[in-house]
Amino acid sequence: MNQKRIAIFGSTGSIGTQALDVIAANPDLFSAEILTAQSNDELLIKQALQFNPNLVVIGDERKYQNVKDALSSTDIKVFAGEKALVEAAAMDCYDMMLAAIVGYAGLKPTLMAISNGKAIGLANKETLVVAGDIVMRMALEKNVPVIPVDSEHSAIFQCLVGEGRNKIEKIVLTASGGPFLGKKPNFLVNVKRDHALQHPNWSMGAKISIDSATLMNKGLEMIEARWLFNLRPDQIEVVVHPQSIIHSLVQFEDGSIKAQMGLPDMKLPIQYAMAFPQRIPNAFPRYDFKKPNILTFEEPDTKTFRNLALATEALYKGGNMPCILNAANEIAVFAFLRNRIGFLDMTEVVEQTMRKTPFIEQPTLEEYFETDGEARNFAATLIHL
């Protein structure tokens, strides 16, 4: 396997830092050529000095001078701003983009990378939630592989290797249930930010931890799976599996079910995507069937965790509705993380925004951008941001 040059968009986040761990453990197989961060300039500088990339981009332009000065003794090129992110994605110094920017901000750089024929390791589910039809169509036209990094989609992807001609009957996405599994609305009313950030099985960034607590994360994954695996909405199910050992399942038309299993560790799907089609050895902990020796499954409680029901509605409605759902959710999570609204208020913001933002059945890319802005503005007025 020749050394693969990786561009990590979102290198200071949870996925980005773990991807760099994988690169550090396999320096003969991978190099980090582009590193980008939104505002964590100190960590970006540290990463750049360790991995010596071709270039770095800091999204927050106020941090540019600090990064520039800190790297002045190196050959690393330094850029800043949203436009620079997209321009970096167009550069030819890398083979694969690890798309790990959180939220809608990851869409434009990913589209640019695809249009330039670069392979994508997709850790940003919002890209496909917002404009999955356009993104996957472009990937097909450019013959670009889009390899999922999300543990659930990686599981499905792994189950489908060698099954190209066999029809999928359905896929089942497993959900841990988050930190509030089994709780009812009267408990959730009083939930505070720090409590919601404590996930029982996974170590994740703030946004995805809150989405996991509200089950919105699983709703976004349903929409993402539709586009990744070219499925109908009725072929996608969610089941709660609190132990997080089975990462997802595929049922074929003969009734046979394949599952991908392992300990909850994001480094595994990250490494799998970066090294695909090969598997490479590692020293990650292994699952021992004796502990936990019982794996359980249950239906999600969509009456309490209504975000999953709203996301399912958006999945079936299609058009720009998933884009509206995502934009409202990003604003709601932002407000909750700053203690501006309560836990259950997040669902209210999403629902009202879905009802009030104009629906478009077959949006253009430009209309997706406009919808995103419109939904964010409406959601912000509900919160008085």
Side-chain angles (χ1 to χ4, degrees), residues 1-50:
M1 183 173 161
N2 294 329
Q3 192 185 52
K4 201 180 277 185
R5 301 170 301 167
I6 311 289
I8 304 182
F9 278 64
S11 69
T12 59
S14 175
I15 297 289
T17 53
Q18 292 179 84
L20 285 170
D21 289 344
V22 172
I23 292 174
N26 300 278
D28 51 331
L29 298 180
F30 308 113
S31 67
E33 293 299 324
I34 298 176
L35 300 177
T36 85
Q38 177 52 32
S39 55
N40 192 343
D41 53 336
E42 296 304 327
L43 182 52
L44 182 65
I45 290 163
K46 201 173 151 195
Q47 291 175 341
L49 291 170
Q50 182 183 346

Coordinates of all heavy atoms in Angstrom, one line a residue, residues 1-50:
M1 N 0.9 -1.2 0.0 CA 0.0 0.0 0.0 C 0.9 1.2 0.0 O 1.7 1.4 0.9 CB -0.9 0.0 1.3 CG -1.9 1.1 1.4 SD -3.0 0.9 2.8 CE -3.6 2.5 3.0
N2 N 0.7 2.1 -1.0 CA 1.5 3.3 -1.1 C 1.0 4.3 0.0 O -0.2 4.2 0.4 CB 1.3 4.0 -2.5 CG 1.9 3.2 -3.6 OD1 2.9 2.5 -3.3 ND2 1.4 3.2 -4.8
Q3 N 1.9 5.2 0.4 CA 1.5 6.2 1.4 C 0.3 7.0 0.8 O 0.4 7.5 -0.3 CB 2.6 7.1 1.8 CG 2.3 7.9 3.0 CD 3.4 8.9 3.3 OE1 3.8 9.7 2.5 NE2 3.9 8.9 4.6
K4 N -0.8 7.2 1.6 CA -1.9 7.9 1.2 C -1.9 9.3 1.9 O -1.7 9.4 3.1 CB -3.2 7.2 1.6 CG -4.4 7.6 0.9 CD -5.7 6.8 1.3 CE -5.8 5.5 0.6 NZ -7.1 4.8 1.0
R5 N -2.0 10.3 1.1 CA -2.0 11.7 1.6 C -3.4 12.1 2.1 O -4.3 12.2 1.2 CB -1.4 12.7 0.5 CG 0.0 12.3 0.0 CD 0.4 13.1 -1.2 NE -0.6 12.9 -2.3 CZ -0.6 13.7 -3.4 NH1 0.3 14.7 -3.5 NH2 -1.5 13.4 -4.3
I6 N -3.5 12.5 3.3 CA -4.8 12.8 3.9 C -5.0 14.3 4.2 O -4.1 14.9 4.7 CB -5.1 12.0 5.2 CG1 -4.7 10.5 5.0 CG2 -6.5 12.2 5.7 CD1 -5.7 9.7 4.2
A7 N -6.1 14.8 3.8 CA -6.5 16.2 4.2 C -7.6 16.1 5.3 O -8.7 15.5 5.0 CB -7.0 17.0 3.0
I8 N -7.3 16.5 6.5 CA -8.3 16.4 7.6 C -9.0 17.8 7.8 O -8.4 18.8 8.2 CB -7.6 16.0 8.9 CG1 -6.9 14.7 8.7 CG2 -8.7 15.8 10.0 CD1 -6.2 14.1 9.9
F9 N -10.2 17.9 7.3 CA -11.0 19.1 7.5 C -11.8 19.0 8.8 O -12.7 18.2 8.9 CB -11.9 19.3 6.3 CG -11.2 19.9 5.1 CD1 -10.2 19.2 4.5 CD2 -11.6 21.1 4.6 CE1 -9.5 19.7 3.4 CE2 -10.9 21.7 3.6 CZ -9.9 21.0 2.9
G10 N -11.3 19.7 9.8 CA -11.8 19.6 11.2 C -10.8 18.8 12.0 O -11.2 17.8 12.7
S11 N -9.5 19.1 12.0 CA -8.5 18.3 12.6 C -8.5 18.4 14.1 O -7.9 17.6 14.8 CB -7.1 18.6 12.0 OG -6.7 19.9 12.4
T12 N -9.1 19.5 14.7 CA -9.0 19.7 16.1 C -10.2 19.1 16.9 O -10.2 19.1 18.1 CB -8.8 21.2 16.5 OG1 -10.0 21.9 16.0 CG2 -7.6 21.7 15.9
G13 N -11.2 18.6 16.1 CA -12.3 18.0 16.8 C -12.1 16.5 17.2 O -11.0 16.0 17.0
S14 N -13.1 15.9 17.7 CA -12.9 14.5 18.2 C -12.5 13.5 17.1 O -11.6 12.8 17.3 CB -14.3 14.0 18.7 OG -14.3 12.7 19.1
I15 N -13.1 13.6 15.9 CA -12.7 12.7 14.8 C -11.4 13.1 14.3 O -10.5 12.2 14.0 CB -13.8 12.8 13.6 CG1 -15.2 12.3 14.1 CG2 -13.3 12.0 12.4 CD1 -15.3 10.8 14.3
G16 N -11.1 14.4 14.1 CA -9.8 14.8 13.5 C -8.6 14.4 14.4 O -7.6 13.9 13.9
T17 N -8.8 14.6 15.7 CA -7.6 14.2 16.6 C -7.4 12.7 16.6 O -6.3 12.2 16.6 CB -7.9 14.7 18.0 OG1 -9.2 14.2 18.5 CG2 -7.9 16.2 18.2
Q18 N -8.5 11.9 16.5 CA -8.3 10.4 16.5 C -7.7 10.0 15.1 O -7.0 9.0 15.1 CB -9.7 9.8 16.8 CG -10.1 10.0 18.2 CD -11.4 9.3 18.5 OE1 -11.5 8.1 18.8 NE2 -12.5 10.1 18.4
A19 N -8.1 10.7 14.1 CA -7.5 10.4 12.7 C -6.0 10.6 12.8 O -5.2 9.9 12.2 CB -8.2 11.2 11.7
L20 N -5.6 11.7 13.4 CA -4.2 12.0 13.5 C -3.5 10.9 14.4 O -2.3 10.6 14.1 CB -3.9 13.4 14.1 CG -4.2 14.5 13.1 CD1 -4.2 15.9 13.8 CD2 -3.2 14.5 11.9
D21 N -4.2 10.4 15.4 CA -3.6 9.2 16.1 C -3.3 8.1 15.2 O -2.3 7.4 15.3 CB -4.5 8.8 17.2 CG -4.6 9.8 18.4 OD1 -3.7 10.7 18.5 OD2 -5.6 9.7 19.2
V22 N -4.3 7.8 14.3 CA -4.1 6.7 13.3 C -2.9 7.0 12.4 O -2.1 6.1 12.1 CB -5.4 6.5 12.5 CG1 -5.2 5.5 11.4 CG2 -6.6 6.0 13.4
I23 N -2.8 8.2 11.9 CA -1.7 8.6 11.0 C -0.4 8.4 11.8 O 0.6 7.9 11.2 CB -1.9 10.0 10.5 CG1 -3.1 10.1 9.5 CG2 -0.6 10.5 9.8 CD1 -3.5 11.4 9.1
A24 N -0.3 8.9 13.0 CA 0.9 8.8 13.8 C 1.3 7.4 14.1 O 2.5 7.1 14.1 CB 0.7 9.5 15.2
A25 N 0.4 6.5 14.2 CA 0.7 5.1 14.4 C 1.1 4.3 13.1 O 1.7 3.3 13.1 CB -0.5 4.4 15.0
N26 N 0.8 5.0 11.9 CA 1.1 4.4 10.6 C 1.7 5.3 9.7 O 1.2 5.6 8.6 CB -0.2 3.8 10.0 CG -0.9 2.8 10.9 OD1 -0.6 1.6 10.8 ND2 -1.9 3.2 11.6
P27 N 2.9 5.9 10.1 CA 3.5 7.0 9.3 C 4.0 6.5 7.9 O 4.1 7.3 7.0 CB 4.7 7.4 10.1 CG 5.0 6.3 11.0 CD 3.7 5.6 11.3
D28 N 4.2 5.2 7.7 CA 4.5 4.7 6.4 C 3.3 4.6 5.5 O 3.5 4.6 4.2 CB 5.2 3.3 6.5 CG 4.4 2.4 7.4 OD1 3.6 2.8 8.2 OD2 4.4 1.1 7.1
L29 N 2.1 4.5 6.0 CA 0.9 4.4 5.2 C 0.2 5.7 5.0 O -0.5 5.8 4.0 CB -0.1 3.4 5.9 CG 0.4 2.0 6.2 CD1 -0.7 1.2 6.9 CD2 0.8 1.3 4.9
F30 N 0.3 6.6 5.9 CA -0.5 7.9 5.8 C 0.4 9.1 6.1 O 1.3 9.0 6.9 CB -1.7 7.9 6.8 CG -2.6 6.7 6.7 CD1 -2.6 5.8 7.8 CD2 -3.3 6.5 5.6 CE1 -3.4 4.7 7.7 CE2 -4.2 5.4 5.5 CZ -4.2 4.5 6.6
S31 N 0.1 10.2 5.4 CA 0.6 11.5 5.8 C -0.5 12.5 5.9 O -1.5 12.4 5.2 CB 1.7 12.0 4.8 OG 1.1 12.3 3.6
A32 N -0.4 13.5 6.8 CA -1.4 14.6 6.9 C -0.9 15.8 6.1 O 0.1 16.4 6.4 CB -1.5 15.0 8.4
E33 N -1.6 16.1 5.0 CA -1.2 17.1 4.1 C -1.9 18.5 4.3 O -1.3 19.5 4.0 CB -1.4 16.7 2.6 CG -0.5 15.5 2.2 CD 1.0 15.9 2.3 OE1 1.4 17.0 2.0 OE2 1.8 15.0 2.7
I34 N -3.1 18.4 4.7 CA -3.9 19.6 5.0 C -4.6 19.4 6.4 O -5.2 18.4 6.6 CB -5.0 19.9 3.9 CG1 -4.3 20.1 2.6 CG2 -5.9 21.1 4.3 CD1 -5.4 20.3 1.4
L35 N -4.5 20.4 7.2 CA -5.2 20.4 8.5 C -6.0 21.7 8.6 O -5.5 22.8 8.3 CB -4.2 20.4 9.7 CG -3.3 19.1 9.8 CD1 -2.3 19.3 11.0 CD2 -4.1 17.8 9.9
T36 N -7.3 21.6 9.0 CA -8.1 22.8 9.2 C -8.8 22.8 10.5 O -9.2 21.7 11.0 CB -9.2 22.9 8.0 OG1 -10.3 22.2 8.4 CG2 -8.7 22.5 6.7
A37 N -9.0 24.0 11.1 CA -9.8 24.1 12.3 C -10.6 25.4 12.2 O -10.3 26.3 11.5 CB -8.8 24.2 13.5
Q38 N -11.7 25.4 13.0 CA -12.5 26.6 13.0 C -11.9 27.7 13.9 O -11.6 28.8 13.5 CB -13.9 26.3 13.4 CG -14.9 27.5 13.5 CD -14.9 28.4 12.2 OE1 -14.7 27.9 11.1 NE2 -15.1 29.7 12.4
S39 N -11.7 27.4 15.2 CA -11.2 28.4 16.1 C -10.1 27.9 17.1 O -9.5 28.8 17.8 CB -12.4 29.0 16.9 OG -13.1 27.9 17.6
N40 N -9.8 26.6 17.1 CA -8.9 26.1 18.1 C -7.4 26.3 17.5 O -6.8 25.3 17.1 CB -9.2 24.7 18.5 CG -8.4 24.2 19.7 OD1 -7.4 24.8 20.1 ND2 -8.8 23.1 20.2
D41 N -7.0 27.5 17.6 CA -5.7 27.8 16.9 C -4.5 27.1 17.7 O -3.6 26.7 17.0 CB -5.4 29.3 16.8 CG -5.6 30.1 18.2 OD1 -6.3 29.5 19.1 OD2 -5.0 31.2 18.3
E42 N -4.6 27.0 19.0 CA -3.5 26.5 19.8 C -3.3 25.0 19.4 O -2.1 24.6 19.2 CB -3.7 26.6 21.3 CG -3.8 28.1 21.8 CD -2.5 28.8 21.5 OE1 -1.4 28.2 21.4 OE2 -2.6 30.1 21.2
L43 N -4.4 24.2 19.3 CA -4.2 22.8 19.0 C -3.8 22.7 17.5 O -3.0 21.8 17.2 CB -5.5 22.1 19.3 CG -5.5 20.5 19.0 CD1 -4.3 19.9 19.7 CD2 -6.8 19.9 19.4
L44 N -4.3 23.5 16.7 CA -3.9 23.4 15.2 C -2.4 23.7 15.1 O -1.8 23.0 14.3 CB -4.7 24.5 14.4 CG -4.5 24.5 12.9 CD1 -4.9 23.2 12.2 CD2 -5.1 25.7 12.2
I45 N -1.9 24.6 15.8 CA -0.5 24.9 15.7 C 0.3 23.7 16.2 O 1.3 23.3 15.6 CB -0.1 26.1 16.6 CG1 -0.7 27.4 16.0 CG2 1.4 26.3 16.9 CD1 -0.8 28.6 17.0
K46 N -0.1 23.1 17.3 CA 0.6 21.9 17.9 C 0.6 20.8 16.9 O 1.6 20.1 16.6 CB -0.2 21.5 19.2 CG 0.7 20.7 20.1 CD -0.1 20.5 21.4 CE 0.3 19.1 22.0 NZ -0.6 18.7 23.1
Q47 N -0.6 20.6 16.2 CA -0.7 19.5 15.2 C 0.2 19.7 14.0 O 0.8 18.8 13.5 CB -2.2 19.4 14.8 CG -3.1 18.8 15.8 CD -4.6 18.9 15.4 OE1 -5.0 19.6 14.5 NE2 -5.4 18.1 16.1
A48 N 0.2 21.0 13.6 CA 1.0 21.4 12.4 C 2.5 21.1 12.7 O 3.2 20.6 11.8 CB 0.7 22.8 12.0
L49 N 2.9 21.5 13.9 CA 4.3 21.3 14.2 C 4.7 19.8 14.3 O 5.8 19.4 14.0 CB 4.7 22.0 15.5 CG 4.6 23.6 15.5 CD1 4.7 24.2 16.9 CD2 5.8 24.1 14.6
Q50 N 3.7 19.0 14.7 CA 4.0 17.6 14.8 C 4.0 16.9 13.5 O 4.8 16.0 13.1 CB 3.0 16.9 15.8 CG 3.3 15.4 15.9 CD 2.2 14.7 16.8 OE1 1.4 15.3 17.5 NE2 2.2 13.3 16.7

